[in-house]
Amino acid sequence: MSTQKPLNILLVRVSSLGDVLHNMPMVADIARHYPDANIDWVVEEGFVSLVRLNARVRNVIPFALRRWRKSLGKPETRAEIKHFFRTLRQQEYDFVFDTQGLLKTGIIMGAARVVKGGRKVGLANGSEGSGYEGISRIFHHLSIPTDPRTHAVARGRIVAGAALGYPVDTPADFGLPAVPDDTPRPEWMPASYAVFFHGTARDAKKWSTENWIALGRELSPLPVLLPWGSPKELAEAERIAAGLPNARVLPKLSMADAIMVARRASLVIGVDTGLVHIAAAFVRPTVEIYADSPRWKTEGNWSPRIINLGDQGTPPAVADVLAAARSLLG
C-alpha cells in the first residue's frame, strides 16, 4: 500500500513500562503497510531508552509529568513544559493515536497539530480493570471500540489497523534488536545466568520469598541475579539471596541496564511486571508468573519460548515453575 507522500504519525503512550512496551508492535504494523511513514512517539522520560531501541521510531518526545508535578511552581519546570508543547507542535501529523485513554494523554493529543483532514484516533472504551477515562474521547476525531478482554498488545494494533485500513493478522513484532555478541558486559553480569524479577508495586502480585529460594536452589549452580527498584524490593532481594548461595543482589540499575539484564539472560522468571514483559518481547526464555492479575491481559503469546503460569487468585506452585524453567533451558 502506498500514499502520495509519507504519512507523519504520532503515537501517544506515556506510561507505564509494560504498557509502553505492549504498544510497540503498532510501529511494526504501520511500517509493514506504510513503509515510508514517519513515526514519532510521546513517552514518559523514564522510558525513552526503551522506545529508542525501536529503529522505526523517528523522534521520541520526552514527557516528564511524574517529575513536573513535584515542582509546578518553579519557573524552570514551567519552561520545560512550554518547551515540551513547542516540540510537540513543530510537526503536523496525518494521524495521532492515543492508545492510553487518559485525560493527560488526551490533552497531549489535543495539543498536537494535524494536517487538513488529519485524524486524531483513540480508544472508544477501556479493558476490564483498566484506568481508562472516558473524557479522553473529547479529543478524538475517531474512537475505535475493542472487546473489554482484548490483550494489551492487540488493543493498540487494532486501533491503528482500523484507522489506517489494514488487517491485524500477524504475530506481534516489537521491533527490538538482538544484543551484538561483542557488547561489553558489566563486571557483575555473568556469561550465563537466570534473573528473578521478583518485585512489583502491588504485594498481591508477588510470589513468596520461600518460593523464590526453593526455585533458585533447584536451578543451582546457574547464577541467579536479583534486581530491585525500591528499598522494599532491595530488602526482599537480600532475603532471597540469604537463602541462595548462587544468587547475587544487583546494584541499583538504570532503566537501560535493567533492560540489558533482561535482554542477555539465559532464563527469565518473574511476576507480572514490565521487565518480565520486556524479556518476553526480546523472546528470551521466560516464565511469567501470574498471582493476582488476569493472565489474558498481558501473557506472552507470541513465542513458544514464553511460558505463562498461574492466573488471578491462583499462583503457580514451585514445581510447575521449575518444570517450565527446565523445559526452556533444554
Side-chain angles (χ1 to χ4, degrees), residues 198-221:
H198 58 94
T200 186
R202 186 154 55 85
D203 285 347
K205 292 169 66 176
K206 294 179 180 179
W207 213 39
S208 74
T209 298
E210 293 74 22
N211 284 350
W212 288 116
I213 292 171
L215 177 66
R217 286 175 176 168
E218 292 294 332
L219 293 174
S220 183

Side-chain angles (χ1 to χ4, degrees), residues 249-273:
V249 178
L250 295 184
K252 178 73 171 176
L253 301 179
S254 67
M255 178 59 65
D257 282 343
I259 291 170
M260 181 63 73
V261 169
R263 290 174 78 184
R264 303 190 81 151
S266 305
L267 175 67
V268 176
I269 304 176
V271 294
D272 176 22
T273 192

Side-chain angles (χ1 to χ4, degrees), residues 130 186 199 218 328:
S130 72
E218 292 294 332
L328 290 172

Side-chain angles (χ1 to χ4, degrees), residues 160-232:
L164 293 171
Y166 57 76
V168 178
D169 54 7
T170 58
D173 175 1
F174 291 82
L176 297 173
V179 182
D181 292 336
D182 59 353
T183 303
R185 292 175 179 269
E187 58 85 19
W188 45 260
M189 182 181 284
S192 179
Y193 62 89
V195 57
F196 288 178
F197 287 117
H198 58 94
T200 186
R202 186 154 55 85
D203 285 347
K205 292 169 66 176
K206 294 179 180 179
W207 213 39
S208 74
T209 298
E210 293 74 22
N211 284 350
W212 288 116
I213 292 171
L215 177 66
R217 286 175 176 168
E218 292 294 332
L219 293 174
S220 183
L222 184 67
V224 172
L225 302 187
L226 298 169
W228 52 276
S230 68
K232 183 176 180 181

